[in-house]
Each structure stands twice: as structure tokens, then as C-alpha cells.
Amino acid sequence: MRSRTTTWFECKIRYEKTMEDGTQKKVTETYTVDALSFTEAEASIIEEMSAYISGEFEVRDIKKAAYGEVFFSDSPSADRWYKTKLQFITIDDKTEKEKRSNVNYLVHAASLPQAVKSIDEVMGGTMVDYLIAAVAETQIMDVFEHNKIAGQGKTEVDDKPEYEQAGGEEAK
């Protein structure tokens, strides 16, 4: 399981889909992309969906998604996306009262129990007290990262200086 913090946008796409019985049906599906703006989100979802949809489609809606992080799974059985709400528990130093702050996460898993297990695996490695307040399956079909990890689709951001990339030994 890997995670990455960024700004996420949920995009609704409407297109004519070929069903299992061969008939054509207009469907609207939700996808999530990371982007810096609504404009970039629209360009990104159009680029991603052009590879999967033959024919015309339209972007029906784009809205910012309030996910603190997205937890991706490398498991081949993970085919669903779950919206989870975690409550982080802190103690106010002045009043000594318990304070809870809510953060939403998107979790890729095969089932609801697997989503809970994934959260516990990721959060168990932290020193933060938390409570899983809610877990619900979403209608999200897929999540597209703008800068994916190398070997898993697109290229990763290469932040080495140019002289190290091109120069080889003589650059040292």
C-alpha cells in the first residue's frame, strides 16, 4: 500500500458504453484525478479516458474531493474505492480537553474489511491516536495519478538536476 498527498478532483464522465450483451447504453461514471486546478483536472481526465473510450464522451461535472490522502493497493483483487473518515484525537494543552479532527481518505481495496485493514496497516505505523468513524463504498471507477510511480503507468517526476542526468561521469 502506498499513499501520496495531493489535491484530488472527482470527475463525472458520460459516454455510450457497450454492455455485456452487446447493446449500447449511456452511462455516467465517476473517476478521480489529481491536479493543480479544475482546468488541469479536465485536461487530465480527457487524456486518461481517451485511451479507454472509443467514441465521444463528455465531462459532466468536476468537483474538488476532500481527501487527505489516497491509499492505493497493489493487490489484483482490489477493485473498489472506499471513502473513510478518520477522527484524530488530540489533547488541548490549555484546556486538557480531548479534541477530534476529521480527515477523509480514499482507500483502494477488495472489500470493506480489507479497507479497514489497510487503514490500520498505514495508521498503525504512526504515533497518532485515531478512530475510524466511517467507511463507505464509493461509485468511483478508478483513480488516476498525474505523476505515477515509474513502472506503474506514466513516468515519475525526475527532480535530478539536468547536469546529473545528461553528464554522467564528467558531471561529477
Side-chain angles (χ1 to χ4, degrees):
M1 171 107 5
R2 58 191 164 80
S3 67
R4 193 166 70 86
T5 305
T6 192
T7 303
W8 296 97
F9 293 85
E10 287 184 0
C11 306
K12 291 193 186 232
I13 305 297
R14 183 151 178 88
Y15 69 100
E16 205 165 283
K17 183 176 189 174
T18 304
M19 306 310 285
E20 288 182 17
D21 63 2
T23 60
Q24 298 285 330
K25 181 181 176 185
K26 282 271 192 188
V27 296
T28 302
E29 296 177 339
T30 303
Y31 295 86
T32 301
V33 297
D34 71 333
L36 298 173
S37 65
F38 284 91
T39 304
E40 186 179 81
E42 182 177 27
S44 180
I45 196 63
I46 288 171
E47 179 184 343
E48 292 289 352
M49 296 313 296
S50 293
Y52 297 103
I53 298 173
S54 60
E56 293 184 21
F57 64 90
E58 68 176 306
V59 179
R60 277 287 176 97
D61 185 36
I62 299 176
K63 65 180 180 179
K64 246 183 186 173
Y67 302 128
E69 276 186 79
V70 174
F71 297 127
F72 294 88
S73 174
D74 295 326
S75 170
S77 64
D79 61 350
R80 296 184 178 114
W81 291 94
Y82 294 88
K83 181 178 179 179
T84 62
K85 179 164 68 170
L86 299 187
Q87 290 183 341
F88 294 101
I89 305 161
T90 56
I91 305 295
D92 187 301
D93 291 335
K94 294 177 184 173
T95 63
E96 296 185 10
K97 289 188 178 180
E98 189 177 275
K99 183 182 175 188
R100 294 179 184 230
S101 55
N102 295 319
V103 179
N104 292 320
Y105 293 91
L106 193 60
V107 180
H108 192 209
S111 64
L112 192 134
Q114 184 62 46
V116 171
K117 182 180 176 194
S118 295
I119 292 165
D120 285 335
E121 285 174 3
V122 171
M123 297 308 296
T126 68
M127 298 297 288
V128 179
D129 289 329
Y130 70 95
L131 175 70
I132 299 174
V135 179
E137 186 175 347
T138 69
Q139 294 299 311
I140 294 170
M141 300 298 289
D142 206 352
V143 174
F144 299 107
E145 291 179 274
H146 187 73
N147 295 310
K148 292 185 180 181
I149 306 301
Q152 297 181 356
K154 291 186 174 182
T155 58
E156 67 180 320
V157 174
D158 189 353
D159 49 0
K160 285 184 183 175
E162 281 183 9
Y163 64 86
E164 285 184 27
Q165 294 174 14
E169 289 299 314
E170 67 245 16
K172 290 184 180 174

